[in-house]
């Protein structure tokens, strides 16, 4: 089955871009995924091909019009989930990437300027997705990120089929650190355990490293992993309330 990607954008020339190279590029040429771009401007109705207008209520910048976006969205005939790149969306996770990669494909709406008229999210089944807590100038880079994450999971795309399974986030932890030859570099050696050939010790060391690194670098992931935030049963007092009595 071919994973069908459709990108709705004002800049179709940005695609496939980096996804035309390396693993994704080869997979595209081999037909493991397909890519179609839709120029949002083609759905404008005036002679200037206008797609945006000034923000209601005032303020800087321009907003993409809901009626134009809807016409572009309605042109997607594949039965695929439709995502919209937006910093106001749910943060993209490896779990969501896995779901998407297991499906028939995805259509991605790329914003520009100040973003979309909010009514598009009520008027069409569009899922807003963010790639992180920072602002890009447009959704195209986000679409490339999302597609890259999906494509590497498609059957036959990654060289070693197993290499996806131990990655960071797959287990809820960051991945353990890697080393390779030379054994000594600038006075630093590869940890002895990794050279021991003792697979049980190596596995234990890797698990401990993954846990330590996650705890120190990503307390948010660590908290979820350990279930540390135990919700008090309803009606129970929070421990800090005891302090006040
Ligand atoms: N004014 C908006 C930002 C608009 S940036 C706000 O503050 O929420 C222009 C476009 O870039 C957005 O419509 C979106 O498509 C894309 N974009 C910017 N940051 C993004 C992010 N973190 N994740 C996904 N898309 C993003």
């Amino acid at each position: 089955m071919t994973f069908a990607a459709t990108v709705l954008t004002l800049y179709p020339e940005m695609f496939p871009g980096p996804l035309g190279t390396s693993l994704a590029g080869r997979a595209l040429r081999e037909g493991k995924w397909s890519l179609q771009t839709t120029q949002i401007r083609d759905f404008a109705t005036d002679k200037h091909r206008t797609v945006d207008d000034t923000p209601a209520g005032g303020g800087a910048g321009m907003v993409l019009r809901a009626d134009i976006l809807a016409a572009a969205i309605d042109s997607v005939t594949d039965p695929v989930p439709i995502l919209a790149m937006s910093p106001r969306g749910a943060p993209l996770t490896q779990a969501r990437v896995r779901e998407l990669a297991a499906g028939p494909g995805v259509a991605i709406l790329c914003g520009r300027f100040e973003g979309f008229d909010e009514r598009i999210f009520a008027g069409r089944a569009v899922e807003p997705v963010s790639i992180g807590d920072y602002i890009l100038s447009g959704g195209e880079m986000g679409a490339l990120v999302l597609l890259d994450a999906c494509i590497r999971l498609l059957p036959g795309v990654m060289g070693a089929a197993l290499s996806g399974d131990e990655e960071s986030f797959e287990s809820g932890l960051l991945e353990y650190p890697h080393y390779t030859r030379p054994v000594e570099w600038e006075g630093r050696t590869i940890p002895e355990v990794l050279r021991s050939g003792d697979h049980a010790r190596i596995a234990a060391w890797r698990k401990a490293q993954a846990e330590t690194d996650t705890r120190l670098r990503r307390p948010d992931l660590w908290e979820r992993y350990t279930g540390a935030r135990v919700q008090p049963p309803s009606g129970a007092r929070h421990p800090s309330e005891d302090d006040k009595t």
Side-chain angles (χ1 to χ4, degrees):
M1 194 183 69
T2 296
F3 180 88
T6 302
V7 181
L8 310 168
T9 171
L10 290 168
Y11 298 97
E13 64 274 19
M14 290 178 72
F15 297 86
L19 297 180
T21 64
S22 190
L23 289 182
R26 195 177 64 206
L28 183 58
R29 288 187 292 279
E30 289 172 355
K32 292 184 173 122
W33 68 288
S34 68
L35 175 67
Q36 195 191 318
T37 54
T38 297
Q39 169 57 271
I40 296 171
R41 205 171 288 286
D42 288 348
F43 298 89
T45 49
D46 63 328
K47 74 172 190 305
H48 302 293
R49 306 224 298 155
T50 311
V51 294
D52 54 353
D53 209 331
T54 53
M62 300 294 274
V63 176
L64 288 165
R65 282 170 47 164
D67 55 340
I68 312 285
L69 294 171
I73 290 167
D74 292 344
S75 77
V76 177
T77 50
D78 291 342
V80 294
I82 301 176
L83 275 45
M85 284 294 146
S86 169
R88 284 160 45 82
L92 186 63
T93 61
Q94 187 65 12
R96 185 71 185 112
V97 166
R98 275 209 176 273
E99 280 173 7
L100 291 169
V106 65
I108 308 172
L109 181 62
C110 300
R112 280 274 158 178
F113 324 124
E114 290 308 316
F116 313 105
D117 183 314
E118 187 68 14
R119 291 171 293 179
I120 197 64
F121 297 104
R124 293 294 181 275
V126 179
E127 171 190 339
V129 171
S130 166
I131 65 157
D133 292 343
Y134 40 80
I135 304 295
L136 304 169
S137 54
E140 289 78 10
M141 298 285 193
L144 291 168
V145 166
L146 189 149
L147 289 175
D148 181 76
C150 289
I151 291 160
R152 60 187 287 285
L153 296 178
L154 299 176
V157 172
M158 265 195 304
L162 273 180
S163 69
D165 293 348
E166 291 197 356
E167 311 270 14
S168 295
F169 312 120
E170 293 290 357
S171 60
L173 294 173
L174 300 178
E175 199 189 34
Y176 50 80
H178 294 286
Y179 299 86
T180 188
R181 282 181 284 270
V183 169
E184 186 183 333
W185 172 72
E186 294 191 350
R188 294 176 165 85
T189 53
I190 294 177
E192 181 279 326
V193 55
L194 297 179
R195 293 176 281 132
S196 68
D198 181 338
H199 296 295
R201 254 184 84 211
I202 292 171
W205 181 86
R206 285 178 165 168
K207 179 151 195 287
Q209 286 289 313
E211 290 180 351
T212 304
D213 288 348
T214 305
R215 186 166 50 79
L216 295 178
R217 297 175 185 195
R218 291 294 301 273
D220 56 325
L221 291 182
W222 181 246
E223 194 168 308
R224 217 176 310 152
Y225 179 75
T226 56
R229 188 183 286 169
V230 179
Q231 297 291 332
S234 74
R237 283 146 51 102
H238 191 273
S240 63
E241 289 174 27
D242 293 336
D243 301 342
K244 295 179 200 133
T245 55

